[in-house]
Amino acid sequence: MSDAAVALTHGADNAPMDLALRMAGAALVALALADVFFTVLYARAGAGVLTPRLNRWTWRALILVSGRRGHRRDKLLALGGPLMLVQTACLWFTLLVTGTALLVWPSMGEGVQAGQGATPTDFNAALYFAGYSLTTLGTGDLVPRTDFTRAVMVGAALVGFSVLTLTLTYFMSVYGALERRNALAQGLHHLSGASGDPLELLEHLAGDGRLPDRVGDLTAIGLGLLDLLESHHAYPVLHYFRWPDRRYALARIALLAIEPVTLMRSGVAGEPLSRAAPVVLMYSGATDLLKQTASALPGDDPDRDEPADEAEARVRFAAALSCLARFGIAPDRDHDEVLRRYRELSTPWRRRARAFANAMGHDWDEIEPSRTAHEGS
């Protein structure tokens, strides 16, 4: 740094510049701490100051550069979640180091001095002082000589240690929640006979015709969905963990969870079953999951006015009737009325599921197997 620049930042007549630098530094530190607080401690979707916006921009960029469908797209998008965790940690520590450096830069050479030899006064030296204060609890060759710089070093050490601890805890919590989500996805996948077809899941539940006796098994799945909902609230970065295997897609989880209970709530297996507590729990939990997560992602409006595909709904409905009829299970009211209720219940969540799939770079035919095979049922 030139002598003129040193004079500019340390001259006696430059108090306004020093104050401006320190105010800018304090603002950066406060911004970083606010983002850490709302991301890690407050832990509700969309509450972060910087992180949610940065994650959305990063995801849009990955979608843009990943191209259309294919192995390359899947591999690139699978990096989204881990990349966002790394960039969040880098963002926090960059803001903290830069902010702390701006706080002490005007004091370099006076309030902060070298233990031996001449004291560097450039911004790089201030960054060095800030960096080791935040990461090594203030052990280095630059020594604070005034009450202000000592307070900055102690505060930086406390903040650095706390943020590092919170960051590591946050990462562990995210991966714990991700493991639970993947376990739920695996369970639903195998309940569908590894087909990803919700009618296969319904058929496995129907079994030997004792569907009313087995509907209690849905309670565990419903509670798993509520855990998943709260995990996505607490750790919104989970939205962006998108694996190439479609069984782990949140839209697939929602499809397998909601479609069978939507059919049951419509009365396709009889009116008493439509009001069973496990059915209501699973339907409400899964639809709430979609409603509260799809709206937080970039992409299509999940509630946009889109005409329902009535022909497709009729195919799904007819396939469900045929599936249950094999076990002697049938509606106890008019089929047209049950179909009307099914369309009414399924249209909103299907819109949200499609919007979520689109936001995550999936085509819907990757999420839901074709219903063509059931048309003749």
Side-chain angles (χ1 to χ4, degrees):
M1 188 174 185
S2 68
D3 293 339
V6 172
L8 178 65
T9 56
H10 300 294
D13 297 331
N14 212 44
M17 175 67 74
D18 292 350
L19 179 61
L21 289 173
R22 285 177 173 146
M23 289 180 64
L28 290 180
V29 171
L31 185 62
L33 293 179
D35 199 53
V36 172
F37 175 82
F38 283 109
T39 301
V40 181
L41 299 177
Y42 187 73
R44 300 308 288 174
V49 179
L50 297 174
T51 298
R53 294 174 177 83
L54 182 61
N55 287 347
R56 283 195 291 270
W57 295 337
T58 301
W59 187 253
R60 288 191 183 105
L62 288 172
I63 289 287
L64 185 64
V65 302
S66 64
R68 295 299 300 165
R69 298 170 62 171
H71 185 61
R72 175 180 174 273
R73 178 183 179 86
D74 286 339
K75 288 181 65 176
L76 183 60
L77 294 181
L79 298 175
L83 176 63
M84 289 173 195
L85 289 179
V86 172
Q87 78 178 6
T88 296
C90 290
L91 171 69
W92 292 340
F93 281 95
T94 298
L95 289 173
L96 289 172
V97 170
T98 304
T100 305
L102 288 173
L103 282 171
V104 301
W105 188 19
S107 301
M108 298 300 294
E110 297 175 1
V112 176
Q113 296 177 359
Q116 294 181 344
T119 302
T121 58
D122 59 335
F123 187 61
N124 288 337
L127 284 173
Y128 169 67
F129 177 82
Y132 74 63
S133 295
L134 285 161
T135 58
T136 64
L137 304 183
T139 57
D141 53 348
L142 294 175
V143 183
R145 300 295 187 186
T146 65
D147 291 342
F148 173 75
T149 53
R150 290 189 186 104
V152 170
M153 172 173 276
V154 171
L158 177 63
V159 167
F161 180 76
S162 300
V163 171
L164 178 61
T165 303
L166 287 172
T167 300
L168 294 176
T169 303
Y170 178 67
F171 283 12
M172 293 173 64
S173 299
V174 167
Y175 278 98
L178 181 63
E179 183 179 0
R180 295 195 302 274
R181 189 185 84 177
N182 289 347
L184 177 62
Q186 285 276 31
L188 290 170
H189 175 73
H190 290 291
L191 278 174
S192 73
S195 68
D197 187 342
L199 284 188
E200 291 285 339
L201 192 152
L202 183 64
E203 183 172 355
H204 281 90
L205 285 174
D208 56 3
R210 298 177 60 192
L211 181 58
D213 297 335
R214 292 178 177 170
V215 76
D217 297 340
L218 298 176
T219 300
I221 300 176
L223 293 175
L225 290 168
L226 293 179
D227 175 74
L228 184 57
L229 171 60
E230 284 306 306
S231 295
H232 276 257
H233 260 312
Y235 316 112
V237 72
L238 283 173
H239 296 334
Y240 302 102
F241 279 81
R242 177 207 189 270
W243 308 123
D245 192 331
R246 305 298 183 246
R247 77 180 68 181
Y248 298 111
L250 190 61
R252 171 69 68 78
I253 294 173
L255 173 71
L256 288 174
I258 311 178
E259 177 73 0
V261 292
T262 300
L263 287 160
M264 284 187 267
R265 287 213 72 189
S266 70
V268 75
E271 192 63 24
L273 192 58
S274 71
R275 297 190 298 271
V279 174
V280 174
L281 170 66
M282 190 165 167
Y283 177 84
S284 298
T287 53
D288 205 22
L289 172 67
L290 271 181
K291 182 178 181 179
Q292 296 190 44
T293 54
S295 59
L297 283 171
D300 297 335
D301 177 8
D303 293 314
R304 68 190 186 283
D305 186 15
E306 179 183 84
D309 189 339
E310 293 194 13
E312 185 70 11
R314 286 182 178 276
V315 169
R316 291 192 300 268
F317 181 73
L321 288 177
S322 176
C323 167
L324 294 176
R326 291 199 296 272
F327 303 104
I329 301 171
D332 51 14
R333 59 173 54 205
D334 182 72
H335 284 196
D336 289 338
E337 171 63 16
V338 177
L339 173 60
R340 184 195 64 77
R341 290 173 61 186
Y342 167 69
R343 288 203 306 264
E344 184 180 275
L345 290 168
S346 65
T347 298
W349 71 256
R350 279 186 168 270
R351 286 175 178 167
R352 294 190 179 103
R354 286 177 180 272
F356 198 100
N358 181 69
M360 296 306 296
H362 294 298
D363 289 333
W364 187 248
D365 61 4
E366 297 176 313
I367 299 300
E368 181 173 32
S370 172
R371 306 252 49 91
T372 304
H374 298 294
E375 290 189 27
S377 299

